Amino acid sequence: MKSLVKKSETLLSVESKIKNPKSKIPGAHVALFAALLMAGGVAFFAGRIDPYHLDVLTNIGINVILAVSLNLVNGHTGQFSLGHAGFMSVGAYLSAAVTLHFVPKLFGEDGGGTLATGALFLAALLTGGLASALAGLLVGIPSLRLRGDYLAIVTLGFGQIIVVMFQNLEPLGGALGLNGIPPYTTVFWVLAFAALTVFTIGCLVRSTYGRGFLAVRDDEVAAAAIGLDTTRYKIVAFVVGAFFAGIAGGLYAHFRLTITPGGFDFTKSIEIVVMVILGGMGNTLGVILAAVLLTLLPEVLRPVAEYRMILYSFLLIMLMLVRPQGLFNFKPGKAKP
Amino acid sequence: MLSVANLSVSYGAINAVDGVSFAVPAGAIVTLIGGNGAGKTTTLRALSGLLRTRGGSITFDGADLTRLPPHEIVARGLGHVPEGRMIFANLTVDENLAMGAYLQHDRQRIAENRDYVFGIFPRLKERLRQSAGTLSGGEQQMLAIGRALMGSPKFLMLDEPSLGLAPRLVGTIFEKIQEINRSHGLTILLVEQNARLALEVSSHAHVLETGRVVMSGPSAELRADPRLKAAYLGG
């Protein structure tokens, strides 16, 4: 836990390490404010919006958090992780355990006021996020010495281990999972956290400290040769990515109200990786749009019923063939050094 | 300034560098020459901590560097321009230079270093906002050297700066290397396949073959050595 605290100090010092203010995105704070305002607006009119549309919007928000946080690891830092669903499950289980444990004790039968439940939910989400970040640290320290395919396999293994662990943890419901999770997730929470994720990771990679992530991706040897502690960068990326995946997991748990270990298996990890690749590795806007598109696509394809997944897969293949550089990547082709 | 004693580095069971010893006096340009697989790049990477040594010691300014991680070695003033340039292709020229100053915290010093780099390579100043991957080979080499200079090194290691460059550019780059050495008294350890050129600019040279030093001496003497002439200078 001590080293985790150290990591968060690293993050806090990021702001003060911004040496070149020109490299900051113009109006990032304005964008965050606008996004939060929008989240508030949508929440305000939530009563008049079709519940189905609200559900889709919630799914989109959760997927944006997952994709943007994985993008920090896979896209910006260039480390191929296949275990994002594993981190998500840590956050989902931990936060659900917190609310399930404390809601009856604190609020009894009446369910508590909006403010009290909101505070408890926030605490539960943060617990889930921090636990997930800790898991990221534990997996990251031994495995981030590996590169490329090897790292992918180790993270894949981690994802599977987590699923099996939750399946066998009886206090957390075992294979049946957790049920009766209070429905705390609203569209406001999800959109607010999505905005916060995009903002935090955007500022992180645009800071001078954060350029190190890109340097590690572009050339690890050169990055080490000019004095970057590359392992530390990879671990920070892993821990921050895992933290937001944990938050997304918590939001997911309090949205679905039932979680089972099977919901966080390998296919979920792949789904997130596909969003990152389709959006264009390291291209935040592209990844957000890809997350939106890939969440909407199965919904739009509902009318074709049993052909849905075939069509979905077919579209994915087509997209990859037509735009291998990422669907929303409009920069000129990357030159190789 | 730098002394290497009995350095050994292996990749698995293969000894790439096998008991290499040499010294680099302050202010000099010393070169390591030799063919492919002689262990030149491996030696440099071991010096900057990118590879773990199997045996021997590396002493720099009286301090033992042998087991230090790369970032601590850079912090002590050992700069490394890696083989094949290895610039950060997706960052701009400006950002590449800023990354070079990663361990520097004195703003004034960083600004001075930038001016110094632009003085040597005015071309970089013209290309500041350009993505580094779109630079020409020569410009990328300039950027790689400039990036290393941003870290205020006392000692600069250059790995094959002539690699893949047009002959005219090779001349320019070597002139700049000599200029850096003369104007700033920066000590340079140069690894080159182009032995003729390396012997021209350096004061001392060590010839590596399959991981061992087979010949050492003042560059002027080695240039005249018939064995070296036959093996590396084309008669």
Side-chain angles (χ1 to χ4, degrees):
Chain A
M1 205 61 201
K2 224 174 202 169
S3 44
L4 192 71
V5 172
K6 222 172 111 194
K7 293 299 170 210
S8 64
E9 276 169 6
T10 317
L11 291 181
L12 289 178
S13 69
V14 164
E15 200 75 19
S16 62
K17 269 203 171 183
I18 298 176
K19 292 175 203 157
N20 182 2
K22 269 180 235 158
S23 68
K24 267 176 43 171
I25 359 169
H29 294 81
V30 179
L32 174 74
F33 186 69
L36 287 175
L37 211 64
M38 202 182 84
V42 171
F44 187 75
F45 292 110
R48 291 186 221 167
I49 302 174
D50 185 341
Y52 166 68
H53 291 149
L54 276 182
D55 272 16
V56 173
L57 202 57
T58 306
N59 269 325
I60 286 176
I62 291 173
N63 282 336
V64 165
I65 300 175
L66 288 169
V68 170
S69 59
L70 184 68
N71 190 34
L72 175 64
V73 180
N74 288 25
H76 296 302
T77 320
Q79 308 301 310
F80 207 89
S81 167
L82 277 175
H84 219 51
F87 295 122
M88 183 189 175
S89 71
V90 173
Y93 267 94
L94 260 289
S95 63
V98 168
T99 48
L100 284 174
H101 180 77
F102 284 107
V103 165
K105 285 193 180 166
L106 293 177
F107 308 137
E109 290 297 309
D110 63 348
T114 321
L115 209 62
T117 53
L120 176 68
F121 186 38
L122 189 63
L125 286 177
L126 290 178
T127 309
L130 289 175
S132 178
L134 184 66
L137 189 67
L138 292 178
V139 180
I141 287 173
S143 58
L144 285 171
R145 294 169 194 284
L146 302 172
R147 288 178 196 185
D149 313 348
Y150 304 104
L151 178 67
I153 290 167
V154 169
T155 52
L156 176 68
F158 156 75
Q160 297 302 102
I161 289 169
I162 284 281
V163 169
V164 172
M165 201 186 80
F166 283 128
Q167 259 164 6
N168 290 290
L169 264 179
E170 288 309 326
L172 290 176
L176 291 174
L178 290 175
N179 296 301
I181 303 166
Y184 287 161
T185 299
T186 61
V187 92
F188 171 74
W189 281 102
V190 172
L191 293 184
F193 267 109
L196 210 61
T197 309
V198 173
F199 176 75
T200 310
I201 291 179
C203 284
L204 183 62
V205 292
R206 276 178 172 79
S207 67
T208 300
Y209 175 84
R211 287 293 175 210
F213 295 109
L214 311 182
V216 168
R217 173 191 66 189
D218 276 0
D219 205 307
E220 209 177 318
V221 172
I226 55 167
L228 270 75
D229 187 343
T230 53
T231 306
R232 187 188 166 110
Y233 264 103
K234 289 193 267 181
I235 290 174
V236 170
F238 230 62
V239 168
V240 174
F243 174 79
F244 285 109
I247 297 280
L251 291 165
Y252 176 83
H254 294 82
F255 168 60
R256 284 297 161 94
L257 316 185
T258 297
I259 49 174
T260 57
F264 304 101
D265 66 355
F266 175 60
T267 33
K268 183 69 194 170
S269 286
I270 293 288
E271 204 185 305
I272 311 167
V273 169
V274 168
M275 289 171 189
V276 173
I277 294 176
L278 196 68
M281 297 270 223
N283 177 345
T284 306
L285 186 64
V287 168
I288 295 171
L289 293 173
V292 174
L293 183 80
L294 288 186
T295 317
L296 284 178
L297 202 54
E299 300 299 328
V300 176
L301 293 177
R302 269 185 201 284
V304 293
E306 61 263 41
Y307 299 110
R308 186 161 73 129
M309 285 329 279
I310 299 175
L311 206 58
Y312 176 80
S313 313
F314 176 74
L315 283 173
L316 269 187
I317 294 171
M318 285 311 291
L319 286 171
M320 246 26 265
L321 283 176
V322 178
R323 297 206 51 93
Q325 72 274 45
L327 191 52
F328 303 102
N329 187 356
F330 297 110
K331 277 194 219 157
K334 281 173 190 168
K336 290 271 172 264
Chain B
M1 181 172 220
L2 177 93
S3 74
V4 177
N6 218 2
L7 180 73
S8 297
V9 186
S10 51
Y11 298 107
I14 299 155
N15 293 330
V17 172
D18 196 5
V20 164
S21 302
F22 64 91
V24 183
I29 298 184
V30 171
T31 183
L32 301 177
I33 53 180
N36 281 332
K40 307 183 300 287
T41 296
T42 306
T43 304
L44 285 200
R45 290 195 168 184
L47 290 182
S48 56
L50 296 169
L51 290 173
R52 286 194 75 106
T53 57
R54 191 168 53 82
S57 69
I58 301 159
T59 318
F60 178 68
D61 266 355
D64 183 27
L65 299 187
T66 319
R67 295 268 162 218
L68 292 184
H71 56 273
E72 285 182 31
I73 291 177
V74 176
R76 280 160 200 254
L78 228 87
H80 187 170
V81 181
E83 184 181 14
R85 307 188 273 273
M86 295 192 171
I87 43 116
F88 304 125
N90 293 302
L91 301 187
T92 64
V93 169
D94 205 11
E95 288 167 342
N96 266 272
L97 292 176
M99 290 312 299
Y102 183 74
L103 294 176
Q104 304 291 311
H105 298 292
D106 180 352
R107 277 156 192 274
Q108 173 121 28
R109 185 73 186 269
I110 293 173
E112 282 169 18
N113 285 347
R114 271 170 72 91
D115 290 341
Y116 174 56
V117 169
F118 293 148
I120 301 170
F121 301 118
R123 183 70 68 85
L124 293 181
K125 197 170 186 175
E126 297 163 21
R127 305 249 186 254
L128 268 187
R129 303 265 161 238
Q130 199 168 321
S131 174
T134 62
L135 296 180
S136 74
E139 289 165 344
Q140 290 189 6
Q141 186 64 61
M142 293 174 195
L143 179 58
I145 297 173
R147 186 181 61 187
L149 291 175
M150 289 298 291
S152 309
K154 291 187 269 184
F155 180 96
L156 190 62
M157 300 189 286
L158 295 154
D159 197 348
E160 301 265 5
S162 75
L163 190 77
L165 296 188
R168 220 181 56 189
L169 268 172
V170 173
T172 315
I173 293 282
F174 271 76
E175 274 166 32
K176 299 295 187 187
I177 292 171
Q178 284 177 293
E179 185 187 329
I180 293 163
N181 169 255
R182 273 196 305 265
S183 69
H184 252 58
L186 194 64
T187 314
I188 290 177
L189 177 60
L190 173 69
V191 155
E192 253 306 331
Q193 287 223 16
N194 187 336
R196 188 185 303 276
L197 204 53
L199 289 174
E200 263 170 41
V201 301
S202 60
S203 58
H204 278 73
H206 305 276
V207 183
L208 290 181
E209 241 169 54
T210 57
R212 293 166 198 270
V213 177
V214 292
M215 230 187 278
S216 292
S219 302
E221 278 177 29
L222 286 182
R223 258 201 312 249
D225 190 292
R227 286 172 298 166
L228 196 79
K229 259 189 175 168
Y232 298 108
L233 303 178

